[in-house]
Amino acid sequence: MATSSKLRSPVLPRRRLAEPFLLLLLLLLLAAVARPTAAADVVELTLLAGAQEKGAVCLDGSPPGYHLQRGFGSGEHSWLVFLEGGAWCNSIESCSRRKMGVYGSSKFMKAAEFNGILSNDQQLNSDFYNWNKVAIRYCDGASFSGDAEAQDKDGSTLHFRGLRIWEAVVDELMGKGLATAKQAILSGCSAGGLAALLHCNDFHARFPKEVSAKCLPDAGFFLDVEDLSGERHMWSVFNGTVHLQNVREVLSKDCLTKKDPTECFFPAELVKSITAPTLILNSAYDSWQIRNALAPDGSFPGQSWSSCKTDIRNCSSTQIQVFNGFRNKFVDDVEIVKDKKDWGLFIDSCFTHCQTPFNISWSSQASPVLGSKTVAEAVGDWYFERSYEVKEIDCEYPCNPTCSSQLPT
């Protein structure tokens, strides 16, 4: 249930406020609508042991890190592995800048707050609150999938070792109990959601057949679309990343025999080769993609799209029609999932990006609802197979009244 620290008591006449019965009624009402917000869990950073020896390092050569919160009770042998997102670097220049911050070096990483699907608050996260939960930090710039190196302009080495980071961190986690998991989910948000797709089969193959190991990419379904100027902006970003960082090992061998590696990096191709049960969670009006793939700066004259791409409520009917074209492409690309057994879809029409790691979008009064389910309810029903199937695609914006302006964008 949503909470607010700004909730105020109704203004009542003094004479009535003094009446004990009404006062008690008021207190009960406030208790019903406002549960105190649980403090986010702060989980310390763990650096990968022997990172240099394994060649599993961040862009600057520092060891990668992760945050591990141990499960308890009935969740002692259940694991959720969450891959952090944060876009990509597709040139020496962009990767050089990236290594000077948290997305390229563990030198800048600190403890992390666990919210949403990572929360241990049972009321907020009833299905997964007591699982072992791991957030793997993102410091390679290629969705945990590259394997190369290059010389920076200052003469130092840029390490493109995302694939080795993935393998080494998961191997370390296997030794910390992941190997004996009875239930497991690989998830991630944005570039981490794409990484969850890239590594889904590998993750699933690490467990015996009787283990329920599934994948949950959140906001990781990136489209190859033309921007407002007719350029394929996302293709350009992915093309630079794939070739600079040598992203091939994680791509479908069948796809690579027929198509360019860059095309094989897009989710529309990735899902064709994934055999593990997977739920695609995404907005069909993904706010990051609209801002950076459909209407990136420089793709339109002046400020004509600036207000619209900042907030969809500012868009004209003509601009909404352009967004609907993006949505239609999205729906076409996920069409293949409808016929995949054990797979799921939760494609809402809210202007948002990443919905699992935030309390408000995961499970609150402001959480998007599809098929009478919030995000958390849909994910739980899909994972535990509590309903026949969870395959929901929302109607066109602005049809869904549960889409809130409070959602993260």
Side-chain angles (χ1 to χ4, degrees):
M1 183 174 288
T3 63
S4 173
S5 59
K6 298 181 181 179
L7 186 66
R8 297 178 179 177
S9 303
V11 178
L12 299 176
R14 292 182 182 179
R15 180 177 56 83
R16 298 186 65 188
L17 186 61
E19 297 176 18
F21 176 75
L22 289 177
L23 180 58
L24 176 61
L25 203 60
L26 173 61
L27 292 175
L28 289 173
L29 175 63
L30 290 176
V33 298
R35 179 175 59 86
T37 303
D41 308 308
V42 177
V43 184
E44 294 302 320
L45 178 71
T46 300
L47 295 179
L48 177 70
Q52 280 78 14
E53 293 82 352
K54 299 169 184 174
V57 294
C58 298
L59 287 170
D60 70 335
S62 62
Y66 60 89
H67 307 266
L68 169 60
Q69 185 180 61
R70 289 290 184 179
F72 56 93
S74 61
E76 184 180 1
H77 296 291
S78 300
W79 285 73
L80 172 67
V81 177
F82 189 92
L83 301 173
E84 183 183 28
W88 308 268
C89 63
N90 60 344
S91 66
I92 295 295
E93 292 74 19
S94 62
C95 292
S96 181
R97 292 192 299 269
R98 191 179 180 95
K99 78 174 184 179
M100 302 305 295
V102 69
Y103 291 118
S105 172
S106 62
K107 296 175 184 177
F108 303 96
M109 295 178 186
K110 299 178 181 179
E113 290 189 353
F114 276 18
N115 291 295
I117 196 172
L118 296 170
S119 172
N120 71 356
D121 181 347
Q122 186 174 3
Q123 288 185 265
L124 176 75
N125 189 28
S126 59
D127 283 320
F128 310 108
Y129 74 98
N130 62 351
W131 283 32
N132 295 278
K133 296 183 286 287
V134 187
I136 303 178
R137 300 300 293 268
Y138 181 35
C139 66
D140 64 277
S143 288
F144 298 87
S145 62
D147 192 10
E149 63 180 38
Q151 187 175 25
D152 202 346
K153 290 184 176 180
D154 63 5
S156 63
T157 300
L158 282 169
H159 304 268
F160 305 132
R161 303 299 185 187
L163 178 56
R164 298 192 193 190
I165 291 172
W166 158 259
E167 292 173 341
V169 171
V170 173
D171 284 347
E172 184 163 299
L173 294 172
M174 295 292 275
K176 292 188 173 184
L178 180 59
T180 58
K182 305 300 182 188
Q183 302 179 117
I185 294 177
L186 175 63
S187 188
C189 154
S190 194
L194 175 60
L197 287 169
L198 289 163
H199 295 294
C200 182
N201 282 344
D202 175 62
F203 182 77
H204 184 262
R206 289 172 179 263
F207 303 98
K209 290 183 178 180
E210 62 270 18
V211 174
S212 177
K214 303 183 180 183
C215 303
L216 174 63
D218 176 9
F221 205 98
F222 295 91
L223 305 187
D224 177 18
V225 293
E226 290 186 355
D227 66 22
L228 296 175
S229 68
E231 298 294 323
R232 294 166 71 189
H233 184 74
M234 280 307 300
W235 173 277
S236 177
V237 171
F238 279 6
N239 188 55
T241 301
V242 164
H243 289 95
L244 176 68
Q245 300 212 30
N246 185 31
V247 176
R248 291 187 67 91
E249 187 63 30
V250 297
L251 303 179
S252 163
K253 303 301 182 287
D254 183 56
C255 183
L256 289 173
T257 62
K258 305 170 185 175
K259 300 183 178 181
D260 184 282
T262 301
E263 188 168 356
C264 298
F265 196 62
F266 278 94
E269 290 297 327
L270 289 174
V271 294
K272 295 176 182 178
S273 63
I274 295 175
T275 55
T278 301
L279 185 147
I280 306 294
L281 168 62
N282 226 106
S283 167
Y285 298 85
D286 187 290
S287 56
W288 189 93
Q289 291 193 63
I290 283 176
R291 290 169 180 157
N292 296 280
L294 182 63
D297 291 342
S299 69
F300 52 87
Q303 301 297 312
S304 56
W305 281 80
S306 298
S307 178
C308 170
K309 75 173 193 171
T310 299
D311 187 335
I312 196 170
R313 294 173 298 175
N314 298 330
C315 298
S316 67
S317 58
T318 301
Q319 290 170 323
I320 291 295
Q321 286 306 308
V322 175
F323 287 3
N324 284 341
F326 179 90
R327 174 200 176 268
N328 293 340
K329 165 69 170 168
F330 198 105
V331 172
D332 288 345
D333 279 3
V334 298
E335 187 73 25
I336 186 176
V337 174
K338 288 185 176 181
D339 297 325
K340 280 179 170 274
K341 184 183 177 182
D342 301 326
W343 280 52
L345 288 169
F346 191 97
I347 311 299
D348 59 62
S349 60
C350 306
F351 190 63
T352 188
H353 180 68
C354 290
Q355 299 178 76
T356 57
F358 303 105
N359 293 346
I360 194 167
S361 47
W362 175 245
S363 180
S364 79
Q365 288 181 335
S367 176
V369 173
L370 279 183
S372 74
K373 296 176 173 59
T374 63
V375 176
E377 290 167 343
V379 171
D381 284 356
W382 163 76
Y383 182 82
F384 295 106
E385 300 176 6
R386 291 191 295 238
S387 60
Y388 172 65
E389 64 177 16
V390 177
K391 290 182 178 173
E392 300 288 346
I393 298 179
D394 212 349
C395 43
E396 292 184 350
Y397 177 87
C399 68
N400 191 334
T402 67
C403 288
S404 169
S405 60
Q406 301 175 59
L407 295 175
T409 61

